[in-house]
Amino acid sequence: MRIRPEYAPLVLGSKVGCGVQGEAPLDQLDSVCDRVLCLDESLEFYLPRFGPRAWLRIVHDSGNWKDPRLWAEHCAIRMATAYRYGCRDLIVGNEQIALEGLSANPDAYRWLNEWGLANLAMLRQQLDWRGCPGVRVWGPALSPGHSEDDFFQGYRLLAPYLAQLDGIAVHNYWGPGWGFIGAPDAQWWAQRIVRAHALIEGELGIVKPWSITEYNRKVDRGDHGDIVNYASECRRYHAWTNSLDRVVAVFTFLGYNRDPGFDDLTWAKMNGMLDLMRSGWDRMSEGEWRNENPMDYQERLRNYADLWKRWGSGLNPEAAIARRWIDLAEGGRFIEPPVEPEHTSENGRYNVQAFTAGVLCYDSTTGAVSEGYPFA
């Protein structure tokens, strides 16, 4: 498992977590995940068992959440109960751009930024009054498809709010045959967190720990083959997120549910899924991952070449930029596939190539390849 040293204390067991609704068999739940993200209506059921391994999400009520003062008081009261059990992680808003008629437009994001700043200030004051220091507040928990705008203009408008949060929470999804790791559109779906991180940390300079507080895809529960495929995707997804050193927790939505509308997203409602998740991987107490059949370098190189080919570029391992891209990937820093061919700068000195999560620049005078564009 890769994790930045400063974030290591936030990983308890492993990064593997389940979102939960209602009351689940606790031993069964504990056998497939190390964390739970529970709704506040169920906190008294889960917190005695999971304690600091539980994250609390406050459910939006009939509309009071739009009043930052009332919502701060409500959230602080519920968090004070969870705090007694050791819980320290709190989500006070969930896909708010999709609620109450808001939409992914600049005015909605400006409103959410103002709401978030006011709510955070009042919430922290309320938590202090209730003797709950050290609570980590995560957000904004937005979702592709209905509450994030493409190209992330909304994140730029939310920058003041993001800077005040203790951690960044995102939702990533995919579907049958689209949006998963390696697919051309994965950067907007399963791997959307990479683009978001490149903007929020790389461009805006906001450095925080990250979490994926919802991931899933819809499954045909009558097709056992689809369930098997989904279990394989979930294991692969966790293996991939385990390589992201800024991510501390990843939660499926859902592990258990009580709302039939979520049955085709819920592990416990898919026949055999929990057994597949128990047997298919190893969550060691240190949070390390063991791969019994690792790829050798030549196989990884073939996979790299195939990835570049699918994105319309050929991979020449001897070329300076491609060599640097491979070295980064081998060292655990994966900047994703190229989005353009390599090209020469106007002054003729540099060769530049942009990738989904970075830019590499070759300096013909020094032979060095660096990340980012050269500046005087």
Side-chain angles (χ1 to χ4, degrees), residues 107-306:
D107 285 342
Y109 283 104
R110 292 186 185 99
W111 178 88
L112 182 57
N113 179 67
E114 293 176 3
W115 176 93
L117 290 171
N119 177 257
L120 271 179
M122 297 173 189
L123 174 63
R124 287 177 173 143
Q125 185 180 57
Q126 290 275 344
L127 289 170
D128 285 344
W129 287 347
R130 288 172 169 78
C132 301
V135 172
R136 294 177 289 268
V137 183
W138 298 77
L142 302 181
S143 172
H146 62 267
S147 64
E148 276 182 1
D149 59 322
D150 284 346
F151 305 107
F152 300 124
Q153 298 304 317
Y155 276 142
R156 291 182 172 88
L157 296 172
L158 289 175
Y161 178 36
L162 300 179
Q164 293 302 312
L165 288 164
D166 298 296
I168 307 297
V170 297
H171 294 176
N172 288 179
Y173 297 107
W174 65 92
W178 56 267
F180 191 58
I181 297 169
D185 56 350
Q187 62 181 313
W188 298 114
W189 298 99
Q191 295 178 295
R192 193 178 183 94
I193 188 175
V194 175
R195 294 187 71 97
H197 177 265
L199 170 66
I200 292 172
E201 181 167 324
E203 181 179 327
L204 301 179
I206 300 170
V207 180
K208 305 282 183 179
W210 286 65
S211 62
I212 298 174
T213 48
E214 290 188 17
Y215 81 83
N216 64 41
R217 76 161 169 87
K218 288 190 175 182
V219 172
D220 182 351
R221 295 189 299 124
D223 180 351
H224 185 65
D226 195 33
I227 295 172
V228 171
N229 288 339
Y230 182 51
S232 176
E233 290 171 357
C234 289
R235 293 194 297 269
R236 186 179 169 194
Y237 195 65
H238 276 286
W240 175 72
T241 55
N242 213 50
S243 72
L244 305 179
D245 64 1
R246 64 271 192 186
V247 173
V248 304
V250 181
F251 298 91
T252 184
F253 182 82
L254 289 154
Y256 292 82
N257 75 317
R258 68 172 183 210
D259 183 344
F262 295 129
D263 282 356
D264 54 2
L265 303 173
T266 302
W267 285 2
K269 298 298 178 67
M270 303 171 190
N271 188 29
M273 181 70 175
L274 294 176
D275 290 334
L276 289 166
M277 297 311 294
R278 271 192 296 269
S279 63
W281 55 12
D282 179 19
R283 301 186 335 273
M284 298 170 64
S285 61
E286 301 89 346
E288 297 175 354
W289 289 70
R290 183 170 65 227
N291 188 348
E292 302 292 355
N293 298 292
M295 289 184 184
D296 62 23
Y297 175 72
Q298 291 303 320
E299 183 179 358
R300 290 196 300 275
L301 196 60
R302 290 192 294 272
N303 275 266
Y304 295 152
D306 180 63

Side-chain angles (χ1 to χ4, degrees), residues 352-363:
V352 179
Q353 189 167 15
F355 298 83
T356 305
V359 172
L360 294 180
C361 180
Y362 168 72
D363 186 338

Side-chain angles (χ1 to χ4, degrees), residues 43-114:
L43 74 86
E44 285 86 355
F45 179 79
Y46 290 103
L47 268 293
R49 173 65 169 264
F50 284 90
R53 294 187 294 139
W55 289 32
L56 180 64
R57 187 167 93 187
I58 309 296
V59 181
H60 295 108
D61 61 8
S62 60
N64 283 345
W65 73 267
K66 284 191 169 183
D67 184 317
R69 182 187 62 79
L70 292 177
W71 193 240
E73 183 176 8
H74 174 73
C75 292
I77 291 170
R78 297 303 283 151
M79 186 64 207
T81 299
Y83 194 91
R84 295 200 298 269
Y85 295 101
C87 175
R88 295 296 183 269
D89 296 282
L90 174 64
I91 299 173
V92 300
N94 188 70
E95 299 185 359
Q96 289 161 294
I97 293 295
L99 296 174
E100 303 286 341
L102 296 180
S103 59
N105 62 64
D107 285 342
Y109 283 104
R110 292 186 185 99
W111 178 88
L112 182 57
N113 179 67
E114 293 176 3

